[in-house]
Amino acid sequence: MRAAGIGLGILVGLTGAAQAHSPVPGIEGFYVGLLHPLSSPAQILLILSAGLLIGGFPRDRVRWLLAAFLGCSFAGLFWSGGDVSDTLAYTVVIATSALAAASANRLFPAAVGCVAIAGLLLGAMSVPDGGLMWDRFVTMSGSLAGLNILMLYLSGCVVVLNERVHWAMLPVAFRIAAAWIAAVSSMMLAIQFAPASTVAAL
């Protein structure tokens, strides 16, 4: 937890500095990248579903899931597939959050797969559309840091609460939260296929 506290201090310090000006000329994009994972509903739902899934496992397995997320989010930055459709993102959210809601501790390989795919998609969604190579690199570095810090704290909070709060309904509450994420993602996925007139009426 000490390392987590240091990481939070670094994140707060960096974002605080971004409010005034960049302490190092040329890395303003890093601060933009830090907040990029929160820029769309699909990304937010992917992060929440993967965080709840990872946090539902014992601590000795959490590190492997976080490592899979880190590696795949990094690989996603170089994924030639480029654009990630919201349809694909919401489908992965439904699968990931459904697995978290099922509290499927025996399905560890499936959890690794869902977390890896979520990380790959989030990494690919963090690639800037264009610009100079250095600017793109700086922004992608910020996105990678922001993604993995968010995942570390979200899953870490779930793990710590499960270990320290001795309330029988707490695991049920996390499963309900995961089920709600799946429900919201299902609605968002349905909107993708709805006629334009129906979406306009909503």
Side-chain angles (χ1 to χ4, degrees), residues 11-79:
L11 179 61
V12 171
L14 288 174
T15 53
Q19 295 174 358
H21 57 84
S22 173
V24 180
I27 66 166
E28 292 86 352
F30 184 85
Y31 304 120
V32 175
L34 277 176
L35 298 178
H36 188 273
L38 303 177
S39 61
S40 72
Q43 289 175 285
I44 293 172
L45 290 171
L46 273 169
I47 292 169
L48 289 174
S49 61
L52 286 174
L53 178 59
I54 294 173
F57 281 87
R59 192 182 288 257
D60 61 333
R61 291 191 167 186
V62 165
R63 64 173 180 265
W64 296 109
L65 292 166
L66 288 173
F69 182 84
L70 172 61
C72 289
S73 59
F74 178 77
L77 295 175
F78 305 96
W79 183 25

Side-chain angles (χ1 to χ4, degrees), residues 10 44 73 119 125 130 180-181 188:
I10 293 173
I44 293 172
S73 59
M125 295 166 79
W180 271 105
I181 293 171
M188 298 295 286

Side-chain angles (χ1 to χ4, degrees), residues 76-96:
L77 295 175
F78 305 96
W79 183 25
S80 60
D83 295 334
V84 176
S85 68
D86 286 346
T87 300
L88 176 59
Y90 290 129
T91 302
V92 174
V93 173
I94 293 169
T96 304

Side-chain angles (χ1 to χ4, degrees), residues 42-199:
Q43 289 175 285
I44 293 172
L45 290 171
L46 273 169
I47 292 169
L48 289 174
S49 61
L52 286 174
L53 178 59
I54 294 173
F57 281 87
R59 192 182 288 257
D60 61 333
R61 291 191 167 186
V62 165
R63 64 173 180 265
W64 296 109
L65 292 166
L66 288 173
F69 182 84
L70 172 61
C72 289
S73 59
F74 178 77
L77 295 175
F78 305 96
W79 183 25
S80 60
D83 295 334
V84 176
S85 68
D86 286 346
T87 300
L88 176 59
Y90 290 129
T91 302
V92 174
V93 173
I94 293 169
T96 304
S97 53
L99 194 60
S103 189
N105 287 336
R106 296 182 180 180
L107 300 177
F108 183 68
V112 173
C114 285
V115 168
I117 294 172
L120 185 69
L121 295 184
L122 285 165
M125 295 166 79
S126 300
V127 178
D129 292 331
L132 299 175
M133 181 63 68
W134 171 253
D135 293 336
R136 287 165 58 87
F137 170 76
V138 171
T139 302
M140 289 191 296
S141 298
S143 296
L144 184 66
L147 273 175
N148 286 276
I149 289 172
L150 282 171
M151 191 57 60
L152 174 64
Y153 278 95
L154 178 58
S155 59
C157 285
V158 176
V159 169
V160 170
L161 286 173
N162 279 328
E163 290 180 348
R164 299 189 180 183
V165 178
H166 304 292
W167 180 42
M169 292 300 294
L170 183 62
V172 177
F174 284 132
R175 295 173 68 178
I176 291 173
W180 271 105
I181 293 171
V184 170
S185 299
S186 298
M187 293 176 61
M188 298 295 286
L189 186 61
I191 291 174
Q192 302 295 315
F193 296 100
S197 57
T198 303
V199 176

